[in-house]
Amino acid sequence: MTLLMGAVAYDPKTVTIWTGFRAWLRGRGLPFDFVLHSTYERQVEELLEGRSHAAWNSPLAWVRASRMARARGRRVRPLVMRDTDLDLTSVVLVRHDSPHTTPLDLKDGVVAVGAVDSPQATLLPLSLLRRAGLRPGEDVAVRRFDIGTGLHGDHVGGEREAVRALVAGEVDAACVLDGNHLLFAQEGTLPPGGTRVLAQSAPYDHCNMTVVDTAPSELVEEFARLLLSMSAADPEVRPLLDLEGLTEWRPGRTTGYALLEAAVDEAGFYDSAGRITAREYEP
């Protein structure tokens, strides 16, 4: 039997990444292959139908997979995670000369967010504003940039357009992943010193390698063992880790998803059984 993993083709490099991992894993005796999906919604459905054993899931895909499994009396678990997926934050940015000093100052203003299904640039920041006392869509207008829907924010084009709207003075604030705030400054999308952080979320976790309870246990455990053994000091391994954006794999955990679970419920994105209930979402 071959361990089959699903991945979402959010970028052309996805093929390069997992072709490299496949060669490395097979070279160590693990029968491994992968299948690419166009959206995370399809990937989760394929996993729960048993047509794949594992899925390289976004945090939102994890929330849906765990809800679907629970509703069916099944079980999924996060096998491993990247070190770079632990304890991330989202930020609400304003221009450096903005008079706003607290989220409540955004009342009657306009906030730019990423795609409708972006955890880091839409669901979590809007939840942050709710906890601050604002009702998105009522107290504050939301301008959404639906680029790459179905990719759960992995295509950061929506975030990039949100900060461009902020710089252009079209909106009062923009919501992005903290790491992308730094990236956009480095690439020149944000001018040096042109923005400041108005609010920051509590830490949360991002992607994980989700495995389903029907997967072959021996192959799953060997998969985990091999990934966790990868070292950035190994010249054969380092390019793979660099492409996938990590320095080491870590054991999976579920403790970093509580914020997103709450945000999903607040937004009515999925119901308790993992059915898509979000309006204006067509992956």
Side-chain angles (χ1 to χ4, degrees), residues 99-269:
H100 303 324
T101 58
T102 73
L104 280 175
D105 294 334
L106 294 171
K107 184 175 172 57
D108 299 324
V110 182
V111 174
V113 299
V116 62
D117 58 340
S118 173
Q120 66 265 13
T122 303
L123 292 168
L124 286 162
L126 293 183
S127 180
L128 173 63
L129 294 183
R130 289 188 192 97
R131 287 195 298 277
L134 293 172
R135 294 168 297 177
E138 297 181 41
D139 298 321
V140 59
V142 178
R143 183 176 176 187
R144 207 172 65 221
F145 290 90
D146 280 330
I147 299 175
T149 54
L151 303 181
H152 291 188
D154 282 358
H155 189 300
V156 301
E159 287 177 68
R160 189 172 279 111
E161 291 306 311
V163 298
R164 284 174 175 157
L166 177 65
V167 171
E170 299 170 3
V171 298
D172 299 288
C175 303
V176 300
L177 180 71
D178 189 25
N180 285 338
H181 179 207
L182 299 176
L183 170 65
F184 298 154
Q186 290 169 354
E187 69 183 20
T189 302
L190 286 174
T195 59
R196 57 182 171 83
V197 174
L198 180 70
Q200 186 167 22
S201 75
Y204 59 84
D205 289 348
H206 212 262
C207 300
N208 74 59
M209 185 70 72
T210 308
V211 294
V212 68
D213 53 6
T214 53
S217 58
E218 290 186 6
L219 293 183
V220 166
E221 295 312 314
E222 181 64 3
F223 184 35
R225 187 191 71 78
L226 287 171
L227 291 179
L228 292 169
S229 75
M230 298 181 87
S231 170
D234 183 338
E236 182 183 3
V237 167
R238 181 60 182 267
L240 296 176
L241 299 183
D242 287 346
L243 276 171
E244 188 50 39
L246 71 154
T247 55
E248 65 176 352
W249 293 97
R250 300 278 185 87
R253 67 185 190 185
T254 61
T255 53
Y257 296 112
L259 278 181
L260 184 56
E261 290 274 7
V264 165
D265 288 334
E266 292 167 7
F269 200 90

Side-chain angles (χ1 to χ4, degrees), residues 38-82:
S38 59
T39 71
Y40 278 108
E41 309 307 337
R42 173 59 62 85
Q43 176 166 290
V44 169
E45 291 160 7
E46 294 290 292
L47 180 69
L48 268 295
E49 289 299 324
R51 288 189 278 269
S52 58
H53 305 119
W56 185 220
N57 271 340
S58 75
L60 188 59
W62 160 257
V63 169
R64 188 181 188 208
S66 62
R67 292 184 179 201
M68 288 178 67
R70 194 162 51 245
R72 300 179 185 194
R74 303 276 301 286
R75 188 174 68 89
V76 292
R77 63 186 174 104
L79 187 68
V80 296
M81 305 172 74
R82 300 176 298 188

Side-chain angles (χ1 to χ4, degrees), residues 23-42:
W24 188 86
L25 291 164
R26 286 182 176 181
R28 280 142 191 84
L30 180 71
F32 172 85
D33 208 348
F34 66 94
V35 60
L36 296 180
H37 299 288
S38 59
T39 71
Y40 278 108
E41 309 307 337
R42 173 59 62 85

